[in-house]
Amino acid sequence: MFVKDNMSTKDKLITCVIYTVAFSAISILLLITIFIFRKGAPLIFKIGIPNFIMNKTWAPLGSQYGIFSMIMGTIWITAGAMIIGIPLGVSCSIYLVEYAPLIIRKILKPIIELLAGIPSVVYGFIGVVMLAPFIRIHMGGPGLSVLAGSIILGIMILPTIVGISIDTLQAVPNSYREGALALGATKWQSIYKVVLPAARNGIIASIILGMGRAIGETMAVIMVTGNSANVPHSILDPVRTLTSNIALEMGYATGDHQQALFSTGIVLFIFIMIINTNHLLKIYFYYLLYLPLQFFVL
Amino acid sequence: MGRAGGIFPTIIGTIFIAVIAVLISTPLGVCTAIFLTEYAKEGIMTKIVRFGSECLAGIPSIIFGLFGFVLFVEYLHFGWSILSGSLTLSFMILPTIIRTTEEAIKAVPYSFREVSYSLGATKWQTIKKVVLPGALPGIVTGVILGIGRSVGETAAVIFTAGGSLNIPSSIFDSSRTMSVHFYILAREGISMNNAYGTAAILVISILLINFFAYWIMHKVTAKYS
């Protein structure tokens, strides 16, 4: 089909190889889906989907596998990380693109990108030795809490949000800004009425990517959130997420218990795939975040 | 276990795992990028390939860890070994390498290819002699970023490469990477001093790796613009 008749044998061979290898990424994705589901799905069906998702008790020794508190934990931590990460990240990129002199942008942008390379265990360690004691002393509670996890994750998703937002803001043609300024708009008016709406898709995409990263983060979360498998009632309560549930118990789990961890992985996998693929989420984010911002800011 | 002594075995383990991961995933990533830029027309096939790459980039490392554990450690009986760890990591860094290589290939001016074709070169000759050499710095950037990600990764490695503190003698030996070592030291409170030391080495090496990558990338953008 893709091999033309006038090609030499070598070229035909190479074309075949490249066409085959090109599908490695999608094949790996399929392999991951198959293996995770094969290992985790039997247990979900054995104890029933509603029981698995809505049961609040996680007690592997008593064969109680309910991950409701972990789902709530993931939602709390992710929401907290977004509340901290979105304003910081978006305002940081607006500053870097619209206000900062070129030299500052050239220095700061690579530094923010370097933040993405720092291992998550290191973030977690910083959270344990600095943030958790601070929260414990000044705000009460055990310190290892939803709040600590949200702050650390909010910082961790900054490079994702800033990197993509900067690129989209830079892609907005300068004539847009000039047009707004020529109509008598102030600098800030031109930014939030013209530039931000024009950069809408990219900024929302960056937020969604950051959210995916926050949901999937494991090591930093394990270290700073305290890991008790209860539904949190305040931001100072310790909490356990889906990811940390897997990583904490995978080392020693066997039999049904190990399968239950893979079932947790399935739920996490579904969360992530919804975020990766769902374009409805973009529209939802637009109405939830972006539109109110247009009305209420200034 | 880590209370006393140095981190030499973990440094060796880290280098082994990161290098093997990159060796596996670079050919796959480069071929995919060549497919996307040189061979395929935009259509259903490129959409599928891109979808796979983007989804893979979004999958959390813990899922890769679970997957590597079932497929390599249990199903293929590699056990907790450097091989299982680096295969898992190679899947994880594949999207990074695809993306950077694709951008590097796109940055090679189209006229280069036209000249090559006009001299009678075939498609593969053009790619091998003109496009890939031009894109090489960009590909190297992707590879270095991939190494950086493998060195810093914990969740995917801890369930596939195990936690042995011995110097590995073959790729079927279990080995601990620096980040896994640091995690175990810090989390189990074995030795805070050693944890700080390991973290310092880890962060400095990753910053150096990334600096190097950005430096090369900077040189590439300066070359063609």
Side-chain angles (χ1 to χ4, degrees):
Chain A
M1 164 183 79
F2 44 83
V3 177
K4 293 185 191 113
D5 286 338
N6 58 359
M7 282 172 150
S8 69
T9 327
K10 192 182 165 198
D11 267 31
K12 278 180 190 166
L13 192 72
I14 285 164
T15 313
C16 284
V17 169
I18 284 181
Y19 269 73
T20 318
V21 173
F23 288 87
S24 55
I26 191 87
S27 328
I28 292 168
L29 191 68
L30 281 177
L31 271 181
I32 292 177
T33 321
I34 292 168
F35 274 91
I36 302 271
F37 273 77
R38 221 184 60 164
K39 184 101 180 176
L43 187 95
I44 296 187
F45 290 121
K46 199 169 100 187
I47 60 177
I49 295 173
N51 189 21
F52 183 62
I53 291 178
M54 300 310 289
N55 186 356
K56 287 181 192 169
T57 323
W58 174 266
L61 289 177
S63 294
Q64 285 262 35
Y65 304 108
I67 57 163
F68 183 72
S69 51
M70 271 73 104
I71 293 180
M72 289 314 286
T74 296
I75 293 174
W76 272 69
I77 295 267
T78 310
M82 302 315 283
I83 290 171
I84 290 162
I86 294 175
L88 269 182
V90 174
S91 51
C92 176
S93 26
I94 291 176
Y95 167 74
L96 284 180
V97 176
E98 305 290 335
Y99 290 95
L102 193 65
I103 180 80
I104 291 188
R105 190 200 305 170
K106 281 207 164 151
I107 296 170
L108 278 185
K109 199 188 169 205
I111 291 179
I112 292 169
E113 279 169 359
L114 281 179
L115 274 183
I118 292 178
S120 49
V121 272
V122 174
Y123 281 105
F125 189 60
I126 303 274
V128 171
V129 295
M130 289 170 65
L131 196 58
F134 181 85
I135 293 175
R136 186 170 56 235
I137 292 163
H138 294 280
M139 302 174 76
L144 301 169
S145 57
V146 176
L147 183 63
S150 302
I151 293 174
I152 290 292
L153 273 185
I155 296 169
M156 286 183 75
I157 62 175
L158 270 185
T160 314
I161 295 183
V162 173
I164 302 171
S165 297
I166 282 186
D167 289 344
T168 7
L169 286 174
Q170 275 176 334
V172 175
N174 244 336
S175 54
Y176 283 33
R177 300 182 181 90
E178 286 159 5
L181 293 176
L183 287 170
T186 63
K187 176 134 190 164
W188 175 236
Q189 281 171 334
S190 82
I191 290 170
Y192 88 90
K193 287 285 187 194
V194 177
V195 179
L196 281 183
R200 187 179 91 198
N201 276 334
I203 291 179
I204 292 178
S206 78
I207 291 172
I208 291 175
L209 270 180
M211 194 168 130
R213 206 173 161 207
I215 290 181
E217 185 45 55
T218 314
M219 286 329 201
V221 172
I222 285 192
M223 294 174 91
V224 296
T225 55
N227 301 322
S228 77
N230 298 313
V231 180
H233 296 291
S234 86
I235 55 168
L236 296 175
D237 283 350
V239 69
R240 183 187 284 200
T241 64
L242 290 168
T243 50
S244 36
N245 188 40
I246 301 171
L248 279 168
E249 299 184 359
M250 197 54 206
Y252 59 86
T254 48
D256 268 7
H257 184 193
Q258 196 185 53
Q259 283 193 12
L261 298 180
F262 278 86
S263 316
T264 317
I266 293 180
V267 175
L268 178 67
F269 188 75
I270 293 172
F271 265 45
I272 292 288
M273 288 311 272
I274 289 174
I275 287 174
N276 275 349
T277 53
N278 200 340
H279 294 282
L280 277 177
L281 208 64
K282 281 190 181 168
I283 301 165
Y284 176 74
F285 261 93
Y286 175 66
Y287 283 110
L288 187 79
L289 282 173
Y290 222 80
L291 215 55
L293 207 71
Q294 297 288 308
F295 287 111
F296 292 121
V297 176
L298 201 108
Chain B
M1 292 293 271
R3 191 184 302 279
I7 57 164
F8 184 68
T10 69
I11 294 178
I12 297 293
T14 309
I15 294 174
F16 260 114
I17 289 181
V19 168
I20 296 174
V22 162
L23 284 182
I24 297 166
S25 96
T26 308
L28 296 180
V30 171
C31 281
T32 310
I34 292 176
F35 168 83
L36 285 173
T37 48
E38 303 289 323
Y39 279 88
K41 292 193 182 70
E42 288 297 322
I44 184 86
M45 293 242 272
T46 53
K47 272 204 184 123
I48 292 174
V49 172
R50 266 184 237 278
F51 173 79
S53 161
E54 273 165 26
C55 280
L56 215 54
I59 287 180
S61 49
I62 185 80
I63 300 272
F64 279 102
L66 283 180
F67 164 68
F69 178 78
V70 205
L71 178 60
F72 302 123
V73 178
E74 282 194 338
Y75 191 74
L76 295 175
H77 299 292
F78 292 161
W80 278 320
S81 61
I82 291 184
L83 187 63
S84 312
S86 30
L87 279 167
T88 311
L89 280 182
S90 72
F91 291 173
M92 214 180 82
I93 59 180
L94 187 61
T96 314
I97 293 184
I98 293 177
R99 206 179 316 124
T100 37
T101 309
E102 203 189 332
E103 272 164 30
I105 291 180
K106 276 185 187 158
V108 176
Y110 201 76
S111 53
F112 285 25
R113 299 177 179 89
E114 284 165 352
V115 170
S116 167
Y117 286 134
S118 72
L119 291 170
T122 64
K123 188 164 193 121
W124 176 242
Q125 280 169 334
T126 307
I127 292 172
K128 197 174 72 175
K129 303 262 178 184
V130 178
V131 176
L132 284 185
L136 191 64
I139 298 174
V140 174
T141 307
V143 169
I144 297 172
L145 285 177
I147 293 180
R149 235 190 123 188
S150 321
V151 171
E153 186 48 53
T154 314
V157 188
I158 197 166
F159 304 128
T160 50
S164 159
L165 260 178
N166 300 321
I167 297 178
S169 55
S170 84
I171 54 170
F172 292 102
D173 283 358
S174 164
S175 178
R176 202 184 266 200
T177 65
M178 270 193 280
S179 36
V180 172
H181 184 61
F182 168 56
Y183 170 71
I184 293 171
L185 287 186
R187 171 131 182 87
E188 294 174 4
I190 295 172
S191 159
M192 272 318 196
N193 277 336
N194 286 3
Y196 273 109
T198 315
I201 305 262
L202 186 62
V203 170
I204 288 170
S205 48
I206 283 177
L207 285 183
L208 282 179
I209 290 170
N210 284 350
F211 263 127
F212 191 50
Y214 286 119
W215 179 70
I216 293 177
M217 194 145 66
H218 185 72
K219 289 196 85 168
V220 185
T221 39
K223 189 172 154 195
Y224 286 119
S225 59

